[in-house]
Amino acid sequence: MELQQQLNQYQENQQNRGRLLISCPDQSGIIAAVSRFLYEFEANILDSNQHSTNPEGGTFFIRIEFECPDLVNKKERLQNQFQSIADKFSMNWDLSLVQELKKTAIFVSKQLHCLRELLWEWQSGDMMTDIALVISNHEEARGVVESLNIPFYYIPATRETRQEAEEQQLKLLEEYQIDLIVLARYMQILTPDFVQAYEHKIINIHHSFLPAFVGAKPYERAYERGVKLIGATSHYVTNDLDEGPIIEQDVMRVNHRDQVQDLKKIGGSIERSVLTRAVKWHLEDRILVHDNKTIVF
């Protein structure tokens, strides 16, 4: 089955599926109120996950996935009427329709292993999103991207031209109505204005098991330190370099026989899987940000 057919089939199958993400001060009655509300709209709860940081004075988080007849036409009414419950419990909340695929932009530089992994997951129908465009400050990725009929934009970016480059990038992101930005080894630091425009909507892969070896050349520094574990970290981008809310991490064992190139090869494999999982979880509305942490259901 062709990719577009897969996406169309997925959207058709999910046309009555919705997701509700909620965070609020913990108190009694939250689940009862939400469940009763969904029941009144003939919704059937299929999956529910919840967590409280502390039942007395903490923060409560819940993710609910449900089926609701004629959901597309009911969405606006659902949102309007749910607001009274949200106000009562001081909720931060979001209601999304599963069939409304998020539009994703991928940023990449010269190293293509993470980009290739994302494209493979997308081609195979295991990552449900609309990859609307790829932006790069180098030309290496053009052939891979354009072979899949995805628009590719080469926008050179240096410290001196960063503002001009970001103006072009932001214009494209607005034009394509982008919901998520994935930095698939994009080796440029984003400005505060750019990050603020897409708060908690920019996912980065850092080639290190944060908080260790922040910044440049982590594999060289890990080799010099003689580490026995190397890893990768996927996180939301904030203005504090490599210190945004962590979504996913993983590690693999290494030993004294592994040289820097070996570490990079092993690390690249970890980076691909960690970034892919983080992106999928975001696309599936599984992540809630709390301070500088994430709750991942």
Side-chain angles (χ1 to χ4, degrees):
M1 185 183 295
E2 293 184 1
L3 175 61
Q4 191 57 54
Q5 289 179 304
Q6 288 182 331
L7 294 176
N8 292 342
Q9 185 67 54
Y10 175 81
Q11 289 178 297
E12 183 179 344
N13 292 342
Q14 304 295 327
Q15 60 183 326
N16 289 323
R17 183 75 58 93
R19 297 180 185 133
L20 189 58
L21 287 180
I22 298 169
S23 62
C24 62
D26 200 356
Q27 55 196 290
S28 62
I30 299 170
I31 296 176
V34 174
S35 300
R36 189 181 305 114
F37 173 83
L38 291 173
Y39 172 75
E40 290 172 354
F41 277 85
E42 303 178 276
N44 181 29
I45 295 175
L46 304 176
D47 188 61
S48 179
N49 290 277
Q50 64 216 44
H51 172 70
S52 175
T53 59
N54 189 328
E56 297 181 5
T59 303
F60 178 78
F61 306 89
I62 188 167
R63 176 189 184 270
I64 296 175
E65 190 157 327
F66 62 91
E67 284 274 348
C68 181
D70 198 26
L71 181 57
V72 173
N73 293 321
K74 289 181 179 177
K75 180 183 179 182
E76 186 174 353
R77 190 155 55 93
L78 270 163
Q79 290 175 316
N80 292 337
Q81 293 188 24
F82 189 76
Q83 190 59 51
S84 60
I85 295 177
D87 292 340
K88 178 180 178 181
F89 292 99
S90 301
M91 293 176 174
N92 290 317
W93 63 284
D94 181 66
L95 172 67
S96 61
L97 303 191
V98 176
Q99 74 156 6
E100 294 177 350
L101 297 180
K102 293 179 176 62
K103 294 187 177 182
T104 298
I106 301 176
F107 283 41
V108 66
S109 292
K110 289 185 176 182
Q111 298 185 48
L112 307 186
H113 56 289
C114 287
L115 170 68
R116 291 181 186 275
E117 184 75 12
L118 292 169
L119 293 177
W120 169 251
E121 292 286 332
W122 174 71
Q123 282 181 277
S124 61
D126 292 326
M127 189 173 73
M128 289 300 170
T129 186
D130 174 5
I131 299 181
L133 74 162
V134 173
I135 295 175
S136 180
N137 57 331
H138 296 278
E139 287 280 6
E140 274 79 351
R142 181 182 292 277
V144 174
V145 174
E146 291 186 342
S147 69
L148 297 173
N149 297 317
I150 300 172
F152 177 85
Y153 293 90
Y154 167 56
I155 302 178
T158 63
R159 184 175 300 177
E160 293 73 25
T161 64
R162 184 170 295 151
Q163 183 174 349
E164 179 184 345
E166 285 194 354
E167 287 175 358
Q168 296 179 54
Q169 292 166 352
L170 287 168
K171 185 177 180 181
L172 285 169
L173 296 174
E174 183 177 356
E175 177 184 336
Y176 281 92
Q177 299 178 311
I178 293 302
D179 301 300
L180 173 66
I181 300 166
V182 182
L183 306 184
R185 295 304 303 273
Y186 181 66
M187 308 309 289
Q188 292 289 319
I189 296 174
L190 304 177
T191 66
D193 288 342
F194 191 104
V195 173
Q196 184 178 9
Y198 288 89
E199 185 179 15
H200 300 153
K201 293 181 179 179
I202 308 173
I203 296 179
N204 186 39
I205 183 66
H206 185 78
H207 42 301
S208 172
F209 191 64
L210 295 177
F213 308 118
V214 172
K217 297 187 175 181
Y219 290 119
E220 285 81 357
R221 290 154 62 207
Y223 175 75
E224 292 168 3
R225 186 66 181 82
V227 301
K228 306 306 180 190
L229 288 172
I230 61 171
T233 301
S234 189
H235 62 94
Y236 287 118
V237 174
T238 64
N239 291 322
D240 296 319
L241 181 63
D242 297 330
E243 294 192 12
I246 291 172
I247 303 170
E248 173 65 333
Q249 296 180 290
D250 206 351
V251 295
M252 289 183 68
R253 297 199 67 83
V254 295
N255 61 40
H256 59 277
R257 294 183 177 86
D258 293 308
Q259 301 298 308
V260 172
Q261 289 304 316
D262 300 317
L263 301 187
K264 289 182 177 180
K265 185 175 181 179
I266 296 167
S269 176
I270 309 171
E271 291 167 24
R272 296 198 306 267
S273 60
V274 167
L275 179 60
T276 298
R277 288 198 294 271
V279 171
K280 284 183 179 180
W281 292 341
H282 181 98
L283 294 172
E284 294 168 2
D285 303 303
R286 295 187 177 278
I287 307 170
L288 291 131
V289 176
H290 176 54
D291 296 331
N292 200 43
K293 298 180 180 181
T294 60
I295 310 297
V296 182
F297 288 125

